[in-house]
């Protein structure tokens, strides 16, 4: 099979949602459905010792939330599907944002009772900005929630996207009977095995007791209205992210997932290309191998001090043992160990293709945003970096643990969840983050993975601004309200106390050009 055939078999998507909408559970059940795992763990089942397969970090297991992006692959209907399960918690939006740079489509999970929530909206906007196709799974239909029309209206008005229900629920909560499958013209019961078939007018082809049920009558009436007055199915609009196919179901009960997968593999895009810094597009079918690092994760296996760099293959074919050039350093090296992920199991792979996500064992050579290539030189566009808002001074509780302390900071900072700064004259380490939970996870991991207790002293909320013309900075500009620090690349950064302090500084020193990250 040639490279083009292999690439056409790949589908790569990220799952986005607000916390608790059921994103990780859906990931679990997709893996279970695809035969990747025999028994899905559940976030609820902490007492049994079963945890969601994609939540491998100890702090995630204890809290029942995802704070890292997990990568998994499974086979379905002749396709190789790569799933990236993203953190739902807003404090980890930067990790999620970068992960969404590595996917070709997204699955948006919505809680039927809560509808569109703030984090869902934020992540949707990232997907919309990239113009990637979005598939919507409305979850928890086995509980009482909002009416289907209300949910569709909310999606359309809040997200400014057209909807096309591929399935339609019959009842909800205790009266949830099942879903109407629009493509197959069947009714798939929630608690029974046998599907019911419908004719061209969506009437049952054989008598069934459900016909007397009020929820069934309402659902058929609603569905006929959707057929007559709803948006038309449009493959082009799906491809550009202007129309989202909508599915109803219950991830916890593995219900509605088959219908989702059947449609997803038919309409989700195959791997897409990526733009270089020069603005050129690298095609997936380009014979030369290329890829970029979008995530680094240390200590996935606590028994070993391992560190994995997650790479999205953009073009060509990866072969174990191949030589690849790291664009940033211009150094060529042989990649002898690469892994593919099956939830928390990982196996060494011999080859992979454009669209696949693989893990490269890393001794500290790689950074987030790095490009690797063979053949003609490639340098992909930079990945986004957020401007942090919260800051903490951090130090080791035990001065004898300084080596562990700095090693831990170095590795965890390279993962990209927190940013590292140091004061100008004392080199006091200062951490910056988008949200408070990142500090808690940092403290937890320093203790558990690097055996180092730390002291954290809040610096508070600050406005961070970098300096374009560093040569014009003078020591006298540094003050408590405009604190001058260095970032991990030794660039000068002002931490302003508030908007007033920043305006005052700009008025006093108009020659200093300040800028922010995202």
């Amino acid at each position: 099979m040639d490279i083009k055939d292999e690439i056409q078999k790949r589908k790569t998507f990220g799952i986005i949602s607000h916390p608790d909408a059921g994103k990780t559970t859906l990931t679990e059940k997709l893996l279970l459905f695809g035969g990747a795992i025999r028994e899905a763990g559940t976030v609820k089942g902490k007492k049994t010792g079963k945890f969601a397969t994609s939540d491998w970090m100890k702090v995630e297991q204890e809290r029942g939330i995802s704070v890292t992006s997990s990568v998994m692959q499974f086979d379905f209907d002749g396709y190789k599907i790569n799933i990236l399960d993203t953190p739902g918690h807003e404090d980890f939006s930067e990790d999620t944002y970068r992960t969404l740079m590595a996917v070709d489509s997204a699955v948006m999970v919505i809680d039927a009772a809560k509808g569109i929530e703030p984090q869902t909206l934020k992540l949707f906007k990232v997907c919309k900005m990239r113009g990637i196709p979005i598939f919507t799974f409305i979850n928890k239909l086995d509980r009482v929630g909002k009416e289907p029309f209300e949910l569709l209206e909310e999606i359309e008005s809040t997200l400014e996207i057209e909807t096309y229900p591929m399935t339609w629920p019959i009842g909800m909560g205790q009266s949830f009977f099942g879903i109407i499958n629009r493509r197959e013209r069947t009714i798939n019961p929630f608690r029974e095995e046998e599907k019911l078939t419908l004719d061209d007018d969506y009437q049952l082809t054989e008598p069934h007791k459900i016909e007397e049920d009020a929820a069934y009558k309402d659902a058929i009436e609603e569905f006929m209205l959707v057929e007559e007055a709803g948006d038309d199915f449009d493959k082009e609009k799906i491809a550009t992210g202007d129309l989202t196919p909508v599915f109803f179901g219950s991830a916890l009960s593995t219900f509605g997932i088959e219908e989702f997968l059947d449609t997803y593999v038919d309409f989700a895009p195959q791997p897409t290309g990526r733009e270089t810094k020069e603005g050129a597009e690298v095609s997936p079918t380009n014979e030369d191998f290329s890829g970029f690092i979008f995530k680094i994760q240390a200590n996935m296996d606590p028994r070993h001090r391992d560190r994995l760099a997650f790479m999205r293959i953009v073009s060509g074919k990866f072969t174990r043992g191949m030589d690849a050039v790291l664009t940033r350093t211009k150094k060529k090296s042989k990649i002898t160990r690469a892994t593919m992920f099956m939830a928390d199991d990982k196996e060494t792979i011999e080859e992979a293709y454009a669209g696949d996500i693989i893990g490269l064992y890393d001794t500290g050579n790689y950074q987030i945003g790095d490009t690797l290539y063979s053949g003609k030189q490639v340098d992909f566009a930079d990945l986004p970096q957020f401007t942090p808002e919260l800051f903490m001074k951090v130090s080791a509780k035990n001065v004898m643990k300084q080596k562990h302390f700095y090693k831990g900071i170095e590795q965890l900072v390279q993962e990209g969840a927190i940013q590292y700064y140091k004061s100008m004259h004392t080199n006091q380490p200062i951490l910056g983050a988008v949200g408070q939970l990142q500090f808690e996870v940092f403290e937890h991991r320093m203790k558990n993975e690097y055996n180092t207790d730390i002291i954290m002293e809040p610096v508070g909320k600050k406005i961070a601004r970098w300096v374009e013309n560093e040569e014009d900075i003078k020591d006298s500009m540094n003050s408590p309200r405009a604190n001058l620090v260095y970032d991990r690349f030794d660039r000068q950064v002002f931490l302003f106390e508030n908007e007033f302090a920043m305006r005052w500084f700009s008025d006093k020193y108009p020659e200093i050009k300040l800028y922010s990250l995202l």
Side-chain angles (χ1 to χ4, degrees):
M1 188 176 286
D2 68 14
I3 285 180
K4 286 184 181 177
D5 290 336
E6 284 288 351
I7 291 170
Q8 285 174 353
K9 288 165 57 179
R10 265 68 185 170
K11 305 278 184 180
T12 302
F13 71 86
I15 301 191
I16 62 173
S17 81
H18 197 81
D20 297 328
K23 171 179 54 63
T24 302
T25 305
L26 178 61
T27 306
E28 282 291 300
K29 297 308 175 76
L30 287 168
L31 292 170
L32 183 66
F33 202 90
I37 52 178
R38 290 189 180 86
E39 183 182 12
T42 168
V43 176
K44 304 291 184 197
K46 296 190 184 67
K47 290 180 182 174
T48 67
K50 283 192 297 184
F51 301 106
T53 311
S54 58
D55 286 350
W56 56 266
M57 192 190 286
K58 191 178 178 189
V59 70
E60 296 181 307
Q61 294 173 355
E62 289 173 355
R63 287 172 176 253
I65 58 169
S66 299
V67 295
T68 56
S69 301
S70 302
V71 179
M72 291 145 281
Q73 188 187 73
F74 69 96
D75 295 327
F76 179 79
D77 197 24
Y79 291 93
K80 291 199 174 295
I81 300 177
N82 296 284
I83 305 179
L84 284 78
D85 176 16
T86 62
H89 200 286
E90 64 181 349
D91 285 8
F92 287 80
S93 51
E94 185 168 357
D95 194 31
T96 301
Y97 200 115
R98 282 195 295 262
T99 297
L100 290 174
M101 301 295 114
V103 302
D104 303 305
S105 54
V107 175
M108 179 168 62
V109 186
I110 293 173
D111 186 323
K114 296 176 181 174
I116 303 291
E117 297 177 85
Q119 188 64 1
T120 317
L121 179 58
K122 275 187 187 177
L123 298 175
F124 170 85
K125 285 180 176 176
V126 176
C127 297
K128 189 75 174 166
M129 184 180 72
R130 287 198 57 216
I132 65 175
I134 296 164
F135 296 76
T136 301
F137 189 88
I138 297 180
N139 194 22
K140 304 184 183 180
L141 261 292
D142 49 341
R143 303 180 189 178
V144 175
K146 296 181 179 182
E147 293 295 328
F149 275 126
E150 186 183 350
L151 288 162
L152 294 182
E153 168 60 30
E154 196 173 328
I155 292 169
E156 294 195 354
S157 60
T158 308
L159 305 181
E160 297 179 347
I161 188 172
E162 294 176 20
T163 60
Y164 187 90
M166 303 300 297
T167 61
W168 193 263
I170 301 172
M172 68 175 72
Q174 290 296 312
S175 66
F176 183 46
F177 179 80
I179 53 175
I180 300 167
N181 186 326
R182 196 171 184 178
R183 286 178 85 191
E184 293 186 356
R185 293 184 185 273
T186 58
I187 291 176
N188 304 350
F190 181 49
R191 294 184 176 87
E192 298 174 21
E193 289 299 315
E194 291 296 316
K195 292 182 181 180
L196 310 177
T197 55
L198 298 164
D199 62 22
D200 289 346
D201 296 320
Y202 292 99
Q203 301 302 309
L204 287 171
T205 56
E206 293 182 14
H208 191 279
K209 61 183 179 182
I210 186 64
E211 289 177 289
E212 303 306 314
D213 190 291
Y216 167 77
K217 291 176 181 176
D218 288 346
I220 290 293
E221 196 174 300
E222 291 168 352
F223 188 67
M224 295 305 290
L225 188 59
V226 168
E227 280 279 273
E228 291 171 22
D231 293 314
D232 293 331
F233 186 82
D234 188 325
K235 286 202 299 189
E236 289 301 313
K237 284 187 175 180
I238 293 174
T240 55
D242 293 313
L243 182 146
T244 178
V246 179
F247 305 82
F248 293 86
S250 166
L252 197 59
S253 304
T254 324
F255 185 76
I257 290 174
E258 182 179 6
E259 293 79 2
F260 159 72
L261 274 174
D262 282 339
T263 305
Y264 176 80
V265 295
D266 285 346
F267 297 106
Q270 63 188 59
T272 50
R274 182 165 174 82
E275 204 172 85
T276 65
K277 285 180 178 172
E278 292 77 34
E281 178 92 2
V282 175
S283 168
T285 53
N286 188 321
E287 289 288 322
D288 289 336
F289 157 81
S290 69
F292 65 93
I293 306 295
F294 66 92
K295 175 182 172 59
I296 291 172
Q297 189 73 59
N299 308 327
M300 289 185 77
D301 183 349
R303 295 166 298 181
H304 306 101
R305 279 275 179 253
D306 65 339
R307 182 175 131 126
L308 283 174
F310 291 70
M311 178 172 68
R312 158 71 190 241
I313 302 177
V314 175
S315 67
K317 177 182 178 181
F318 166 84
T319 307
R320 188 160 77 100
M322 75 183 297
D323 288 328
V325 177
L326 177 59
T327 303
R328 177 173 45 83
T329 62
K330 298 182 173 56
K331 288 183 179 176
K332 180 188 286 189
S333 60
K334 193 179 292 294
I335 303 176
T336 54
R337 292 183 72 196
T339 164
M340 194 78 84
F341 303 88
M342 201 61 71
D344 59 354
D345 293 327
K346 52 185 189 289
E347 56 185 50
T348 300
I349 54 158
E350 298 299 321
E351 58 185 38
Y353 295 84
D356 283 335
I357 308 292
I358 63 174
L360 305 180
Y361 285 87
D362 181 26
T363 54
N365 297 322
Y366 301 129
Q367 294 179 9
I368 288 171
D370 274 347
T371 298
L372 286 133
Y373 70 91
S374 65
K376 188 179 176 184
Q377 181 176 326
V378 179
D379 193 5
F380 290 117
D382 290 334
L383 290 177
Q385 189 181 21
F386 280 28
T387 298
E389 297 175 1
L390 297 176
F391 295 85
M392 287 266 190
K393 288 181 183 176
V394 61
S395 55
K397 193 173 281 187
N398 183 346
V399 292
M400 304 298 287
K401 297 264 186 169
Q402 291 288 71
K403 188 177 177 183
H404 289 271
F405 172 72
Y406 279 103
K407 180 69 173 174
I409 283 186
E410 180 188 13
Q411 291 203 342
L412 297 182
V413 163
Q414 284 172 347
E415 290 182 15
I418 53 170
Q419 293 181 27
Y420 175 76
Y421 304 86
K422 59 188 178 187
S423 58
M424 280 198 71
H425 301 297
T426 63
N427 288 334
Q428 162 73 50
I430 299 169
L431 301 181
V434 175
Q436 179 63 32
L437 183 59
Q438 287 170 312
F439 294 128
E440 293 173 30
V441 171
F442 173 80
E443 185 174 16
H444 186 283
R445 292 186 67 187
M446 286 292 285
K447 183 177 179 66
N448 285 274
E449 296 171 24
Y450 299 94
N451 195 28
T452 304
D453 288 310
I454 59 173
I455 298 168
M456 300 185 84
E457 181 187 342
V459 176
K461 198 166 185 177
K462 302 289 181 186
I463 298 170
R465 291 294 182 267
W466 279 253
V467 181
E468 277 185 27
N469 49 328
E470 292 190 351
E471 66 280 0
D472 295 332
I473 294 294
K474 300 179 178 63
D475 264 8
S476 58
M477 296 176 181
N478 183 22
S479 72
R481 300 185 68 191
N483 189 14
L484 188 57
V485 299
Y486 292 107
D487 70 7
R488 60 184 281 227
F489 304 109
D490 283 328
R491 297 176 302 192
Q492 294 177 326
V493 185
F494 279 103
L495 302 183
F496 293 105
E497 192 173 41
N498 49 36
E499 290 278 355
F500 176 82
M502 186 167 69
R503 283 197 302 271
W504 180 88
F505 180 91
S506 295
D507 288 344
K508 185 170 183 180
Y509 305 109
E511 71 278 11
I512 304 300
K513 297 181 177 66
L514 303 174
Y515 68 95
S516 67
L517 306 178
L518 277 181

